[in-house]
Amino acid sequence: MTRTATIGVRGMTCASCVQTIEMVLRDTEGVSEASVNFALERATVTYDPGKVDISRLEKAIRDAGYEPVRHEIALKVLGMASPHCAGLVEKALLDTPGVMMVDVNFSLETVKVAYDPATVTLADLKKAISDAGYRPLDLEGESVEDREKRARREEIRKQAIFVAMSWVLSVPIMLGTFREYFSISSFTPEWLASPYALWALTTPLMVGPGAQFFIGTYRGLKHGYTDMNLLIATGTGAAYILGVVNTLFPTAGFGGPEVAFFETAALLIAFLVTGRYLEALTKGRTSEAIRKLMGLKAKTARIVRGGKEIDVPVEDVVVGDLVVVRPGEKIPVDGVVREGYSAVDESMITGESIPVEKKTGDPMIGATMNKTGVLRFEATKVGKETALAQIVKLIEDAQAAKPKIQRLADKVAGRFILAVHVLALFTFLFWFFVGYGAYFRGGTFLLSSTSLLSISPGVFSLLLAITVLIISCPCAVGLATPSAIMAGTGKGAEFGVLIKGGDALERANKVDTIILDKTGTLTKGEPSLTDVHAEAPHRPEEVLRLAAMAERGSEHPLGEAIVQGAEARGIALADAERFQAIPGHGITAEFQGRVILLGNRKLMRDRQVTGVEGLISKLEEFEGDGKTAMVVAVDGEAIGVVAVADTLKENSAEAIARLRKMGLEVAMLTGDNRRTAEAIARRIGITRVLAEVLPDDKASEVKRLQQAGRVVAMVGDGINDAPALTQADVGIAIGSGTDIAKEAGHIVLIKGDLRDIVTALELSKKTIRKIKQNLFWAFAYNAAGVPIAAGSLYALSPVLVSPELAALFMATSSISVTLNTLLLKRFRPSMLKRRLRSERALRVVPLRIPAAAASGNPGGERP
Amino acid sequence: MTTRKMSGRKRRSLVAAAYLAISTAASLLFYVAARATGSAATDTLLGVVWVFALSAIVSASILPPVLERWHARRRRAEA
């Protein structure tokens, strides 16, 4: 039996850290799979609990030089009468899957639990204690989100202190070093130029902010792994040691105090630490969307227990609880309205900006905002089952999954460090044995500062090798893909489009054919009354009234549509008698002694109804439009026709027009007969129709198109669409549909609005473009920077890049990749932009301020 | 778990010995080449240290996967 655990990891700085941790975990006995998400700072480990436990996994991470973040919570436990009870509580908790450590304090009646939030929730922990016969009471400690936020804040704070310390020490080091070169001697004391003073100032930098690089290198090498820290440690370490040697043994022949290199070591660390600080700041922002979503969760809920309204932590709400929500309050969990009427802002979950009206029987989504009235609803989904928790999990899984392009980038980043060290070695050997003698000219300068007048071949070659190590930046390569995927999937969630991973994004980018299922996708999936035709001298209201009265006893969807249609038109209906269904043909009923017959032509023929011939053209017209037409007859005489059809969703035509404009081939898939299917397709602008397709054959149709070389996206909502959604290159499930369809789809549209297909495709294109841009710049930077640092242009122009300048370039490159990714945050779907433009155009007339808003009640309580 | 730990330690010792051997050989080669080209003693010393360090790092990156593959092939052959 295997188990999967999620462990928070702090201290990762680049993609090679990801590889190091993954390798360390995979090398641990009992671990079958390990995947580390750099941007989310989390490791997901599949392991055999019989062979290894979480503490051992945490130790492996710690030994590799990183900090596992534990989720801990403190609970008050009442009812523990003896230390034996404490033992029982401990056992009950330890037996709960996902619990890593339990510390029971019998005298204080508290218990501290370390747990894996992906496996076990707080409610599970409290239930385990309750089941053991004790009462978990007072809740202390932080939530998982708070803890992660705090860990991130601590990391930023730590790096900020290092940055301040680095620059406070680096500035006097620079002044001291360059006292003789520039006109700064007037305000720089002479003693500051002494190599001993420079040594004294550089040493705290090496053991303070610089120590992280050496510790990381040591831990990595201990396990036989190399990472970014090694490049930095080798570079700064070599510069520092050379400085010390030149200070203590000025005549040893390494250039003496003139070539102390303390400023090189100091500036290297200052730039690198500044880079890490900025990276910590920006890295957090790419995963902002998911944290925003997590932050939406209500912390407390007001529930009715024992006839009283009480406030409880949201984790304590159980299925079946009656929850009360007042205007302006968050809906704590998912449920169904039992009492009340209100408008609810669901934009944070569905992206729909217009508040949705809620009445008895309507579903409620947790984390949305109640606007106007008081609602009482029954909790149906709590904890990990709520829509919000599912969405968060879906996005987290998506961000953890590595697309092909990222796997390649990770591989390159992993080999990169080795390649750079080999290059540094060859750079040293070339300049030592060949380059110095052939090209070196005294008096040449490095691009920043140091004079090379009296430098020996050994030191000159070493300087170039250090620059090669420092300038190379595998971080940029490693960050390029995950940061863009994180921003892309997060942005999608903002607009109600859930993208399940980078692979889905990658494939959606290549889609050239879209197949849309008809019922429930293009149409609402519920028939409604569309037309009423009356034969003179009868009036349409009369025809509809009689048809609706006859159908009142029917449970058939077509009958319900006719009744609802009549009610919606304000027609008063009385009860008919002797209702009788004639399966496959229609119905018959009696009202005030008159026999009403409603059904198809065959029924009319069988009952010898007269006057049907005059209605044939109307019947054919309705059927030609894809509607179901029924003849209404009274006492053997046809008096009119009613037509019912599954109505199209409001935005179907607009979405399809846009998809076609994007150059995609759009096809409709349905089990309907060709005539009806084509009629509907015509109305929304679809030219290719795959009609009369049996549910089982939907996947085969998709496969057929794929075999013809098409990259197919299938959009559907029903259970019978699931195989086709899985078969398609990209399965797009409608969120309002069944859970099975959502499970099968690669992309989920929460609102069920077809315009979101356009948003999903546009977002995938933008994200993939961003990944390509990032990778291009990352590789271009390294491809250009490393050879220049190795002195490849020195023969042409006697200017070299100094190690400190290389550090500046290196820090800039990874930050620029993250900043480029952050541009994705400006993404707006083209359909939304169009809608906003048209709304602005409509606002030419100044809006009148409602009295409610003017009187300080902007929401305006519904009468 | 004990068997695995032992073999892991053994493997690490083997790899460490290999690092040292490769790095020493590289440094020695460098020393011979530097003396042959008439380099100054201090420069040669600097080079020997630097070549040793970089060779150790490079072999530390290359050796573990190479040995792992070699072990896997041997295990397969035994099976």
Side-chain angles (χ1 to χ4, degrees):
Chain A
M1 190 191 79
T2 57
R3 203 175 273 175
T4 302
T6 309
I7 305 169
V9 183
R10 264 197 294 168
M12 286 191 281
T13 51
C14 64
S16 61
C17 300
V18 170
Q19 292 220 320
T20 303
I21 299 171
E22 282 180 354
M23 277 195 276
V24 165
L25 287 169
R26 281 184 199 135
D27 274 359
T28 309
E29 202 202 356
V31 173
S32 51
E33 183 49 36
S35 171
V36 176
N37 187 315
F38 175 46
L40 275 178
E41 297 185 305
R42 267 181 218 174
T44 308
V45 194
T46 308
Y47 65 100
D48 180 352
K51 289 183 179 169
V52 66
D53 58 14
I54 302 254
S55 306
R56 175 76 189 83
L57 299 176
E58 287 181 335
K59 189 178 175 299
I61 293 172
R62 202 172 293 116
D63 284 352
Y66 304 92
E67 191 55 44
V69 183
R70 270 199 169 184
H71 298 291
E72 285 181 346
I73 200 90
L75 294 167
K76 186 104 179 156
V77 180
L78 295 185
M80 290 192 292
S82 67
H84 172 70
C85 299
L88 287 178
V89 170
E90 187 176 341
K91 190 176 178 308
L93 286 167
L94 283 173
D95 285 348
T96 310
V99 172
M100 303 167 200
M101 186 276 297
V102 178
D103 181 12
V104 184
N105 189 322
F106 168 63
S107 50
L108 287 176
E109 293 184 302
T110 58
V111 57
K112 208 174 181 188
V113 191
Y115 66 102
D116 173 16
T119 316
V120 63
T121 64
L122 198 53
D124 296 334
L125 299 178
K126 292 172 95 179
K127 190 174 177 298
I129 297 171
S130 305
D131 290 349
Y134 304 92
R135 230 177 118 203
L137 247 192
D138 198 13
L139 196 70
E140 294 167 21
E142 300 164 298
S143 67
V144 174
E145 297 85 56
D146 290 343
R147 187 167 289 276
E148 283 184 355
K149 215 186 275 174
R150 190 167 58 85
R152 203 163 269 125
R153 257 203 320 262
E154 269 173 19
E155 175 66 19
I156 291 171
R157 197 172 150 265
K158 189 181 95 181
Q159 294 299 345
I161 292 170
F162 282 164
V163 168
M165 188 177 165
S166 304
W167 287 108
V168 163
L169 289 167
S170 294
V171 170
I173 291 170
M174 277 193 295
L175 290 174
T177 307
F178 305 126
R179 189 175 182 275
E180 305 302 323
Y181 295 94
F182 307 106
S183 320
I184 50 173
S185 50
S186 55
F187 59 88
T188 309
E190 202 179 335
W191 60 265
L192 199 58
S194 148
Y196 287 97
L198 295 175
W199 184 14
L201 286 168
T202 310
T203 306
L205 257 178
M206 297 298 286
V207 296
Q212 55 183 317
F213 306 117
F214 293 94
I215 293 168
T217 302
Y218 166 71
R219 286 176 168 163
L221 285 178
K222 207 171 86 179
H223 289 272
Y225 304 120
T226 52
D227 62 9
M228 188 67 198
N229 288 311
L230 180 64
L231 292 173
I232 300 165
T234 323
T236 52
Y240 179 76
I241 290 168
L242 201 62
V244 174
V245 170
N246 276 335
T247 304
L248 291 176
F249 311 102
T251 53
F254 294 115
E258 293 293 309
V259 196
F261 286 125
F262 283 125
E263 93 289 354
T264 301
L267 282 178
L268 275 180
I269 288 174
F271 281 130
L272 293 167
V273 169
T274 308
R276 284 207 172 171
Y277 167 68
L278 293 174
E279 217 174 288
L281 276 181
T282 47
K283 198 165 72 181
R285 289 184 62 191
T286 53
S287 56
E288 215 170 49
I290 199 160
R291 279 205 302 283
K292 259 192 212 165
L293 271 175
M294 283 163 141
L296 288 174
K297 197 173 81 175
K299 291 208 186 306
T300 59
R302 186 174 303 117
I303 57 171
V304 180
R305 276 195 192 155
K308 279 184 189 167
E309 286 183 14
I310 51 165
D311 285 347
V312 294
V314 74
E315 290 83 6
D316 284 359
V317 180
V318 292
V319 172
D321 270 342
L322 194 63
V323 185
V324 183
V325 195
R326 301 208 172 105
E329 287 180 349
K330 263 186 192 172
I331 300 192
V333 293
D334 293 3
V336 178
V337 179
R338 292 285 170 242
E339 200 184 320
Y341 180 86
S342 182
V344 175
D345 177 7
E346 293 185 342
S347 60
M348 54 293 281
I349 301 289
T350 64
E352 178 56 62
S353 55
I354 302 161
V356 183
E357 293 192 9
K358 297 283 175 184
K359 56 184 185 308
T360 305
D362 283 345
M364 304 281 285
I365 308 173
T368 54
M369 181 66 80
N370 183 24
K371 298 295 255 187
T372 51
V374 178
L375 287 169
R376 282 171 174 253
F377 73 92
E378 186 187 328
T380 54
K381 282 179 181 168
V382 296
K384 286 195 287 188
E385 303 303 315
T386 60
L388 178 70
Q390 297 283 327
I391 290 169
V392 168
K393 179 154 190 334
L394 211 139
I395 300 172
E396 277 182 357
D397 290 349
Q399 292 176 343
K402 288 181 185 178
K404 266 185 229 149
I405 196 165
Q406 189 178 343
R407 281 193 285 270
L408 182 69
D410 279 358
K411 219 175 194 174
V412 171
R415 302 271 185 278
F416 198 86
I417 291 160
L418 170 67
V420 170
H421 274 96
V422 171
L423 200 67
L425 185 60
F426 280 110
T427 302
F428 179 81
L429 294 175
F430 171 79
W431 286 102
F432 190 92
F433 289 115
V434 185
Y436 185 86
Y439 303 113
F440 181 74
R441 274 158 276 173
T444 54
F445 282 79
L446 289 174
L447 206 54
S448 72
S449 56
T450 315
S451 165
L452 297 178
L453 278 169
S454 56
I455 202 160
S456 73
V459 178
F460 180 76
S461 310
L462 180 70
L463 208 62
L464 263 71
I466 290 173
T467 313
V468 167
L469 291 176
I470 297 298
I471 208 165
S472 62
C473 186
C475 293
V477 179
L479 264 176
T481 312
S483 63
I485 287 177
M486 186 155 291
T489 47
K491 201 72 201 169
E494 216 173 279
F495 294 105
V497 177
L498 300 183
I499 301 162
K500 294 190 195 170
D503 274 336
L505 272 172
E506 223 172 2
R507 286 196 300 264
N509 176 50
K510 293 176 186 151
V511 163
D512 56 20
T513 306
I514 292 216
I515 303 178
L516 298 133
D517 173 55
K518 193 202 86 177
T519 312
T521 302
L522 284 167
T523 66
K524 289 177 179 166
E526 298 160 1
S528 61
L529 181 77
T530 54
D531 302 270
V532 181
H533 168 76
E535 196 71 350
H538 305 280
R539 285 176 299 111
E541 292 78 20
E542 184 193 352
V543 172
L544 182 57
R545 191 172 69 91
L546 291 168
M549 284 196 307
E551 287 282 13
R552 268 188 112 180
S554 168
E555 285 176 2
H556 194 281
L558 294 179
E560 284 174 8
I562 293 170
V563 175
Q564 280 171 10
E567 284 171 351
R569 286 162 178 77
I571 296 170
L573 301 177
D575 283 330
E577 296 163 342
R578 297 190 189 184
F579 170 83
Q580 194 190 341
I582 305 153
H585 294 94
I587 56 142
T588 174
E590 284 185 29
F591 178 66
Q592 293 175 347
R594 299 168 78 191
V595 178
I596 309 168
L597 200 61
L598 182 70
N600 58 17
R601 275 170 278 189
K602 187 170 182 301
L603 178 69
M604 301 299 145
R605 224 175 13 248
D606 291 349
R607 301 288 173 106
Q608 294 167 344
V609 173
T610 57
V612 179
E613 298 75 27
L615 296 170
I616 293 292
S617 63
K618 211 66 198 171
L619 283 166
E620 283 178 349
E621 182 193 324
F622 289 149
E623 283 167 357
D625 287 342
K627 297 167 185 170
T628 305
M630 288 162 278
V631 179
V632 184
V634 178
D635 292 337
E637 187 205 346
I639 61 165
V641 178
V642 287
V644 169
D646 188 1
T647 46
L648 285 165
K649 286 183 180 171
E650 289 82 10
N651 306 309
S652 296
E654 190 189 352
I656 281 148
R658 181 71 198 161
L659 287 170
R660 291 183 59 158
K661 208 172 165 193
M662 285 167 79
L664 299 165
E665 180 165 357
V666 186
M668 188 179 87
L669 187 74
T670 177
D672 287 356
N673 66 65
R674 181 155 291 279
R675 197 172 159 205
T676 311
E678 281 178 349
I680 290 173
R682 255 198 316 276
R683 276 161 59 197
I684 46 175
I686 293 180
T687 48
R688 185 167 185 172
V689 179
L690 306 168
E692 292 162 32
V693 180
L694 296 171
D696 295 347
D697 294 337
K698 286 186 177 178
S700 317
E701 282 293 332
V702 173
K703 202 171 177 182
R704 205 173 49 76
L705 282 166
Q706 284 172 321
Q707 281 165 348
R710 294 282 180 172
V711 182
V712 181
M714 165 80 200
V715 190
D717 74 318
I719 290 172
N720 57 20
D721 295 330
L725 289 173
T726 313
Q727 173 65 42
D729 296 285
V730 182
I732 302 178
I734 300 286
S736 50
T738 63
D739 284 342
I740 292 177
K742 278 185 261 178
E743 193 65 38
H746 304 110
I747 294 174
V748 181
L749 311 179
I750 299 181
K751 289 196 296 270
D753 186 334
L754 293 187
R755 291 178 298 183
D756 288 343
I757 302 172
V758 180
T759 303
L761 297 180
E762 283 176 348
L763 191 59
S764 79
K765 279 190 199 307
K766 288 249 179 209
T767 310
I768 297 296
R769 198 181 306 150
K770 205 47 83 183
I771 290 172
K772 285 180 180 166
Q773 276 172 10
N774 283 349
L775 284 174
F776 172 79
W777 287 117
F779 280 114
Y781 161 80
N782 282 296
V786 174
I788 291 172
S792 60
L793 301 178
Y794 188 73
L796 302 172
S797 160
V799 176
L800 290 166
V801 179
S802 72
E804 49 269 54
L805 204 63
L808 176 67
F809 288 154
M810 195 278 254
T812 317
S813 74
S814 55
I815 293 164
S816 63
V817 162
T818 318
L819 288 176
N820 185 40
T821 296
L822 286 176
L823 292 178
L824 259 182
K825 286 167 92 70
R826 296 193 307 189
F827 170 81
R828 288 277 171 283
S830 62
M831 307 288 280
L832 179 71
K833 279 194 248 177
R834 276 177 58 177
R835 203 166 71 189
L836 291 175
R837 264 202 303 272
S838 55
E839 276 174 16
R840 267 200 298 272
L842 284 172
R843 273 190 223 131
V844 280
V845 181
L847 287 169
R848 288 180 63 186
I849 302 166
S855 64
N857 177 13
E861 190 78 28
R862 203 184 167 87
Chain B
M1 202 182 274
T2 321
T3 326
R4 172 90 187 199
K5 257 186 192 169
M6 283 302 289
S7 80
R9 195 176 298 157
K10 208 168 146 187
R11 192 185 59 191
R12 276 203 291 277
S13 308
L14 193 72
V15 172
Y19 296 165
L20 286 175
I22 291 170
S23 310
T24 310
S27 299
L28 207 64
L29 270 176
F30 176 83
Y31 176 79
V32 171
R35 296 311 290 169
T37 51
S39 298
T42 46
D43 273 352
T44 307
L45 178 64
L46 184 73
V48 165
V49 174
W50 188 241
V51 169
F52 184 89
L54 288 187
S55 308
I57 291 166
V58 171
S59 49
S61 304
I62 295 174
L63 278 179
V66 169
L67 283 175
E68 193 59 51
R69 268 202 291 274
W70 180 68
H71 272 299
R73 207 176 303 145
R74 226 175 61 166
R75 273 198 297 271
R76 273 201 301 275
E78 279 170 11

